[in-house]
Tab-separated table of all heavy atoms in Angstrom:
chain	number	residue	atom	x	y	z
A	126	ALA	N	83.229	105.592	113.393
A	126	ALA	CA	81.896	105.068	113.053
A	126	ALA	C	81.157	104.594	114.297
A	126	ALA	O	79.943	104.814	114.425
A	126	ALA	CB	82.041	103.927	112.048
A	127	VAL	N	81.872	103.960	115.230
A	127	VAL	CA	81.222	103.504	116.474
A	127	VAL	C	80.729	104.695	117.283
A	127	VAL	O	79.603	104.689	117.808
A	127	VAL	CB	82.224	102.651	117.289
A	127	VAL	CG1	81.669	102.371	118.681
A	127	VAL	CG2	82.526	101.344	116.577
A	128	ILE	N	81.554	105.746	117.368
A	128	ILE	CA	81.141	106.948	118.106
A	128	ILE	C	79.887	107.556	117.483
A	128	ILE	O	78.940	107.950	118.180
A	128	ILE	CB	82.294	107.974	118.132
A	128	ILE	CG1	83.473	107.423	118.935
A	128	ILE	CG2	81.823	109.303	118.707
A	128	ILE	CD1	84.710	108.299	118.878
A	129	GLN	N	79.866	107.630	116.130
A	129	GLN	CA	78.702	108.208	115.448
A	129	GLN	C	77.458	107.334	115.620
A	129	GLN	O	76.359	107.845	115.836
A	129	GLN	CB	79.004	108.372	113.952
A	129	GLN	CG	80.012	109.478	113.639
A	129	GLN	CD	80.238	109.598	112.147
A	129	GLN	OE1	81.197	109.077	111.603
A	129	GLN	NE2	79.334	110.281	111.472
A	130	ALA	N	77.641	106.004	115.503
A	130	ALA	CA	76.478	105.103	115.555
A	130	ALA	C	75.857	105.040	116.942
A	130	ALA	O	74.662	104.761	117.069
A	130	ALA	CB	76.898	103.709	115.114
A	131	THR	N	76.659	105.301	117.981
A	131	THR	CA	76.090	105.297	119.333
A	131	THR	C	75.333	106.591	119.641
A	131	THR	O	74.586	106.643	120.613
A	131	THR	CB	77.204	105.114	120.380
A	131	THR	OG1	78.230	106.094	120.161
A	131	THR	CG2	77.800	103.722	120.282
A	132	ARG	N	75.557	107.623	118.793
A	132	ARG	CA	74.844	108.912	118.988
A	132	ARG	C	74.249	109.369	117.656
A	132	ARG	O	74.568	110.450	117.160
A	132	ARG	CB	75.810	109.980	119.504
A	132	ARG	CG	76.548	109.595	120.779
A	132	ARG	CD	77.663	110.592	121.061
A	132	ARG	NE	78.389	110.280	122.274
A	132	ARG	CZ	79.361	109.385	122.355
A	132	ARG	NH1	79.731	108.716	121.266
A	132	ARG	NH2	79.971	109.150	123.492
A	133	PRO	N	73.418	108.588	117.013
A	133	PRO	CA	72.905	108.964	115.681
A	133	PRO	C	72.089	110.249	115.724
A	133	PRO	O	71.216	110.402	116.579
A	133	PRO	CB	72.042	107.755	115.288
A	133	PRO	CG	71.680	107.107	116.575
A	133	PRO	CD	72.831	107.325	117.498
A	134	GLY	N	72.393	111.166	114.809
A	134	GLY	CA	71.655	112.421	114.725
A	134	GLY	C	72.124	113.487	115.680
A	134	GLY	O	71.627	114.618	115.633
A	135	SER	N	73.069	113.179	116.584
A	135	SER	CA	73.539	114.167	117.557
A	135	SER	C	74.515	115.141	116.891
A	135	SER	O	74.923	114.967	115.748
A	135	SER	CB	74.222	113.455	118.728
A	135	SER	OG	75.409	112.823	118.269
A	136	ARG	N	74.911	116.164	117.656
A	136	ARG	CA	75.880	117.123	117.142
A	136	ARG	C	77.212	116.443	116.868
A	136	ARG	O	77.895	116.735	115.881
A	136	ARG	CB	76.076	118.260	118.153
A	136	ARG	CG	77.068	119.325	117.687
A	136	ARG	CD	77.189	120.456	118.689
A	136	ARG	NE	75.934	121.164	118.848
A	136	ARG	CZ	75.751	122.173	119.712
A	136	ARG	NH1	76.760	122.570	120.466
A	136	ARG	NH2	74.579	122.769	119.805
A	137	THR	N	77.604	115.511	117.757
A	137	THR	CA	78.852	114.766	117.549
A	137	THR	C	78.801	113.974	116.243
A	137	THR	O	79.751	113.972	115.461
A	137	THR	CB	79.092	113.799	118.724
A	137	THR	OG1	79.144	114.540	119.938
A	137	THR	CG2	80.389	113.030	118.535
A	138	ASP	N	77.659	113.309	116.006
A	138	ASP	CA	77.486	112.528	114.777
A	138	ASP	C	77.594	113.429	113.549
A	138	ASP	O	78.288	113.110	112.577
A	138	ASP	CB	76.130	111.823	114.827
A	138	ASP	CG	75.896	110.973	113.588
A	138	ASP	OD1	76.890	110.530	112.984
A	138	ASP	OD2	74.728	110.759	113.220
A	139	ARG	N	76.907	114.577	113.589
A	139	ARG	CA	76.921	115.477	112.426
A	139	ARG	C	78.310	116.065	112.202
A	139	ARG	O	78.773	116.198	111.064
A	139	ARG	CB	75.884	116.589	112.618
A	139	ARG	CG	74.440	116.108	112.619
A	139	ARG	CD	73.482	117.285	112.426
A	139	ARG	NE	73.608	118.275	113.498
A	139	ARG	CZ	72.942	118.231	114.647
A	139	ARG	NH1	72.109	117.245	114.879
A	139	ARG	NH2	73.102	119.177	115.548
A	140	THR	N	78.998	116.428	113.295
A	140	THR	CA	80.329	117.027	113.158
A	140	THR	C	81.325	116.020	112.578
A	140	THR	O	82.083	116.340	111.646
A	140	THR	CB	80.840	117.506	114.532
A	140	THR	OG1	79.908	118.438	115.078
A	140	THR	CG2	82.203	118.168	114.392
A	141	LEU	N	81.335	114.801	113.129
A	141	LEU	CA	82.254	113.782	112.613
A	141	LEU	C	81.901	113.390	111.177
A	141	LEU	O	82.787	113.130	110.352
A	141	LEU	CB	82.224	112.551	113.522
A	141	LEU	CG	82.789	112.747	114.923
A	141	LEU	CD1	82.657	111.461	115.743
A	141	LEU	CD2	84.254	113.173	114.864
A	142	GLY	N	80.585	113.370	110.862
A	142	GLY	CA	80.172	113.058	109.495
A	142	GLY	C	80.636	114.117	108.515
A	142	GLY	O	81.099	113.792	107.410
A	143	ALA	N	80.537	115.394	108.921
A	143	ALA	CA	81.012	116.464	108.046
A	143	ALA	C	82.527	116.391	107.862
A	143	ALA	O	83.056	116.608	106.765
A	143	ALA	CB	80.618	117.825	108.629
A	144	GLY	N	83.236	116.052	108.962
A	144	GLY	CA	84.695	115.930	108.862
A	144	GLY	C	85.117	114.800	107.931
A	144	GLY	O	86.022	114.968	107.100
A	145	SER	N	84.459	113.650	108.051
A	145	SER	CA	84.814	112.534	107.170
A	145	SER	C	84.461	112.849	105.730
A	145	SER	O	85.197	112.477	104.799
A	145	SER	CB	84.113	111.256	107.638
A	145	SER	OG	82.710	111.399	107.567
A	146	MET	N	83.348	113.562	105.494
A	146	MET	CA	83.001	113.962	104.125
A	146	MET	C	84.042	114.923	103.551
A	146	MET	O	84.409	114.850	102.366
A	146	MET	CB	81.618	114.615	104.119
A	146	MET	CG	81.217	115.184	102.755
A	146	MET	SD	81.208	113.938	101.455
A	146	MET	CE	79.628	113.151	101.750
A	147	PHE	N	84.553	115.841	104.399
A	147	PHE	CA	85.577	116.791	103.957
A	147	PHE	C	86.827	116.056	103.474
A	147	PHE	O	87.321	116.306	102.373
A	147	PHE	CB	85.924	117.730	105.115
A	147	PHE	CG	87.095	118.633	104.840
A	147	PHE	CD1	86.943	119.786	104.083
A	147	PHE	CD2	88.358	118.325	105.338
A	147	PHE	CE1	88.022	120.616	103.820
A	147	PHE	CE2	89.442	119.150	105.088
A	147	PHE	CZ	89.272	120.301	104.326
A	148	PHE	N	87.331	115.122	104.287
A	148	PHE	CA	88.548	114.407	103.891
A	148	PHE	C	88.275	113.448	102.733
A	148	PHE	O	89.152	113.202	101.909
A	148	PHE	CB	89.118	113.632	105.087
A	148	PHE	CG	89.741	114.524	106.116
A	148	PHE	CD1	89.158	114.673	107.366
A	148	PHE	CD2	90.905	115.230	105.834
A	148	PHE	CE1	89.724	115.507	108.314
A	148	PHE	CE2	91.476	116.065	106.782
A	148	PHE	CZ	90.882	116.209	108.025
A	149	TYR	N	87.049	112.898	102.664
A	149	TYR	CA	86.697	111.987	101.569
A	149	TYR	C	86.696	112.716	100.229
A	149	TYR	O	87.051	112.144	99.183
A	149	TYR	CB	85.319	111.381	101.847
A	149	TYR	CG	84.883	110.333	100.860
A	149	TYR	CD1	85.508	109.092	100.802
A	149	TYR	CD2	83.833	110.586	99.970
A	149	TYR	CE1	85.105	108.132	99.901
A	149	TYR	CE2	83.430	109.621	99.064
A	149	TYR	CZ	84.068	108.401	99.040
A	149	TYR	OH	83.663	107.454	98.129
A	150	ALA	N	86.312	113.997	100.261
A	150	ALA	CA	86.190	114.762	99.015
A	150	ALA	C	87.494	115.427	98.591
A	150	ALA	O	87.614	115.861	97.437
A	150	ALA	CB	85.098	115.831	99.168
A	151	MET	N	88.483	115.527	99.493
A	151	MET	CA	89.701	116.258	99.177
A	151	MET	C	90.615	115.462	98.236
A	151	MET	O	90.827	114.265	98.440
A	151	MET	CB	90.481	116.567	100.466
A	151	MET	CG	89.851	117.654	101.305
A	151	MET	SD	89.727	119.241	100.436
A	151	MET	CE	87.984	119.234	99.970
Side-chain angles (χ1 to χ4, degrees):
V127 170
I128 294 173
Q129 289 181 262
T131 53
R132 305 169 179 82
S135 66
R136 181 178 297 177
T137 302
D138 181 27
R139 294 196 299 272
T140 302
L141 293 178
S145 62
M146 175 58 80
F147 172 80
F148 288 112
Y149 185 69
M151 287 300 102

